[in-house]
Amino acid sequence: MNVVDPIAAEATKLFESVYGGRPEGLWAAPGRVNVIGEHTDYNEGFVLPMAIDRYTVVAAAKRTDGRLRVVSSAGDQRVIEVALDDLTPGFPQGWTEYPAGVAWALRGAGILQEGFTGADLAFVSTVPVGAGLSSSAALECSTGLALAGLAGAEAQLSTADLARLSQYAENNYANVPCGPLDQLASAFGEDGRVLFIDTRSFEIAPHPFDLAAAGLTLMVFDTKVSHDHGESGYPARRASCEKAAAVLGVRALRDLTAADLERAERELDEVTARRVRHVVTEDERVEQFVSLLTEGPLEGERLRAAGDLMTASHASLRDDFEVSCEELDVVVEAALAAGAHGARMTGGGFGGSAIALVDVGDAERVAESVLAALPQAEIFRAIPARGAHRVA
Ligand code: ADP
Ligand code: MG
């Protein structure tokens, strides 16, 4: 059975019990793991995410009274209701900002027009919420597809627009200044592939990432922690990157290379120069990782080099960008000590999840080592999965 089917069955059940009647359709969007390329997306640089086999599914039906109702199995299962005409950034507050924001963005873009008079949405998800695996993007992208589907406007909503409008909603309605990485990964994910994305041009090059064929597995370790300073940490990093780009006279840090780092050190304060060094070296690591994937299967020297790039990415995020935390560092160290080829935090940091590239035969030992170091960690294996799509 397909991993989406049982979630879709749950979403249908939730819809029926809350709203009565049958949903008109079901839409799914996945979470993601970023293999490498962290904090580069808002610097117009490179990222290498894959959608994972964890999905948010929404069961949905149209309404005729101009109202939007939402319920999620993840929350307190309270139905929240708002008139489409009352949608305004930040309202209604809480998790509803994400689906309401998408409805608002689709209306603003003219994809939902006058004839669209409301909807009932019921969400069920297997994406861990707030774990750095993009449950927010899964929520947005599933909402976007569902609303366009109900309105008969699928053809007007390209996959790139789904990602763009979802990011727009998160930035401008939920007031989270994220880059486009999460939404692009959730929208464009492909079975068995990682996505090499240029976040300036939105050019996307999928690369085969058949880990099982190479005897490998990608392990995810949810640390279950989210440190408060993350709230201000992310916007502060972003602001610091934008300031550095302005001082150095480039449109975005993506326009710098290693040759510019000396000048960055001269012209910026010590901390900001380290932030720049992370972004510049991280972009290079993504390109190197993609070169390795292009050369052939991940084995031997190539596998060693790919693992080293992931681990170097973690060190850079920890030391230069300072967005890791003790729990993430402990998990990465434990995975490496037990034989992982490479390990790193994934997502924005300050808590959330880490990943490791591991020989299938070592997975159990790595899991034991991680649990010994951080007993609360939740561990699973992720495979590259299909992006947002209509289920039924
Ligand atoms: P991440 O995207 O890494 O999981 P975020 O902080 O960006 O973490 O998004 C998490 C927030 O998204 C939650 O606090 C909640 O408001 C909302 N959210 C995500 N998925 C769901 C869901 N299935 N049901 C309700 N709210 C959700
Ligand atoms: Mg998110």
Side-chain angles (χ1 to χ4, degrees):
M1 189 161 60
N2 172 319
V3 291
V4 176
D5 292 343
I7 317 168
E10 285 297 311
T12 302
K13 242 197 302 186
L14 179 65
F15 184 98
E16 289 171 355
S17 72
V18 170
Y19 302 125
R22 299 277 302 168
E24 285 173 47
L26 291 139
W27 290 263
R32 65 99 190 89
V33 147
N34 192 20
V35 177
I36 194 162
E38 217 66 72
H39 287 276
T40 48
D41 64 341
Y42 54 78
N43 291 299
E44 300 188 6
F46 302 120
V47 293
L48 191 73
M50 61 187 219
I52 60 174
D53 48 333
R54 298 287 186 121
Y55 286 87
T56 296
V57 175
V58 58
K62 284 192 288 287
R63 294 178 62 82
T64 53
D65 60 358
R67 302 184 79 78
L68 179 69
R69 294 199 294 179
V70 295
V71 67
S72 168
S73 64
D76 54 11
Q77 307 217 5
R78 236 169 12 105
V79 178
I80 297 172
E81 183 172 339
V82 60
L84 289 174
D85 287 341
D86 291 343
L87 291 175
T88 180
F91 173 79
Q93 250 188 8
W95 76 272
T96 26
E97 284 170 72
Y98 299 93
V102 171
W104 172 79
L106 291 181
R107 270 163 67 101
I111 289 162
L112 296 181
Q113 302 199 341
E114 291 291 291
F116 181 78
T117 53
D120 285 334
L121 308 177
F123 297 92
V124 172
S125 182
T126 55
V127 185
V129 173
L133 302 171
S134 295
S135 69
S136 59
L139 182 55
E140 292 150 7
C141 290
S142 58
T143 302
L145 273 192
L147 294 177
L150 291 176
E154 295 101 328
Q156 284 87 276
L157 184 68
S158 69
T159 309
D161 285 341
L162 174 65
R164 227 181 250 120
L165 290 167
S166 294
Q167 184 205 358
Y168 185 81
E170 184 151 345
N171 288 170
N172 298 294
Y173 203 97
N175 197 27
V176 178
C178 60
L181 161 65
D182 299 353
Q183 294 80 7
L184 284 168
S186 183
F188 281 96
E190 288 189 29
D191 245 336
R193 290 181 156 81
V194 283
L195 309 173
F196 176 40
I197 305 177
D198 179 334
T199 62
R200 170 168 283 168
S201 64
F202 274 30
E203 199 178 312
I204 299 179
H207 281 264
F209 202 52
D210 188 351
L211 296 174
L216 296 166
T217 183
L218 191 77
M219 299 181 74
V220 180
F221 315 106
D222 175 1
T223 64
K224 299 274 182 186
V225 298
S226 165
H227 292 291
D228 290 343
H229 58 269
E231 298 262 314
S232 53
Y234 188 99
R237 291 302 179 281
R238 184 169 180 158
S240 155
C241 288
E242 282 162 5
K243 199 186 93 197
V247 170
L248 296 169
V250 289
R251 170 171 150 181
L253 293 185
R254 178 275 174 63
D255 295 308
L256 301 176
T257 68
D260 297 304
L261 291 179
E262 238 174 74
R263 181 167 73 91
E265 268 169 42
R266 273 198 315 273
E267 296 185 17
L268 300 168
D269 63 90
E270 188 268 336
V271 171
T272 311
R274 277 193 285 118
R275 305 292 188 249
V276 172
R277 183 166 63 194
H278 165 71
V279 174
V280 170
T281 58
E282 186 76 352
D283 272 334
E284 288 184 343
R285 281 185 289 271
V286 177
E287 291 188 284
Q288 288 164 7
F289 199 102
V290 170
S291 296
L292 292 168
L293 291 182
T294 313
E295 283 165 22
L298 275 188
E299 54 191 32
E301 182 54 30
R302 261 194 307 277
L303 174 56
R304 199 186 59 74
D308 287 350
L309 287 169
M310 290 172 70
T311 307
S313 165
H314 185 77
S316 179
L317 288 156
R318 180 191 63 208
D319 302 334
D320 279 350
F321 217 64
E322 297 183 275
V323 291
S324 188
C325 65
E326 199 183 333
E327 292 86 351
L328 286 167
D329 293 344
V330 156
V331 160
V332 164
E333 286 308 318
L336 292 171
H341 296 287
R344 59 183 293 275
M345 52 164 275
T346 191
F350 305 107
S353 299
I355 55 170
L357 191 58
V358 175
D359 283 335
V360 171
D362 289 338
E364 217 138 293
R365 190 151 53 94
V366 168
E368 279 166 20
S369 169
V370 166
L371 283 175
L374 189 72
Q376 77 215 32
E378 199 135 304
I379 302 178
F380 65 94
R381 301 179 193 186
I383 53 173
R386 182 177 175 192
H389 61 279
R390 183 167 192 158
V391 180

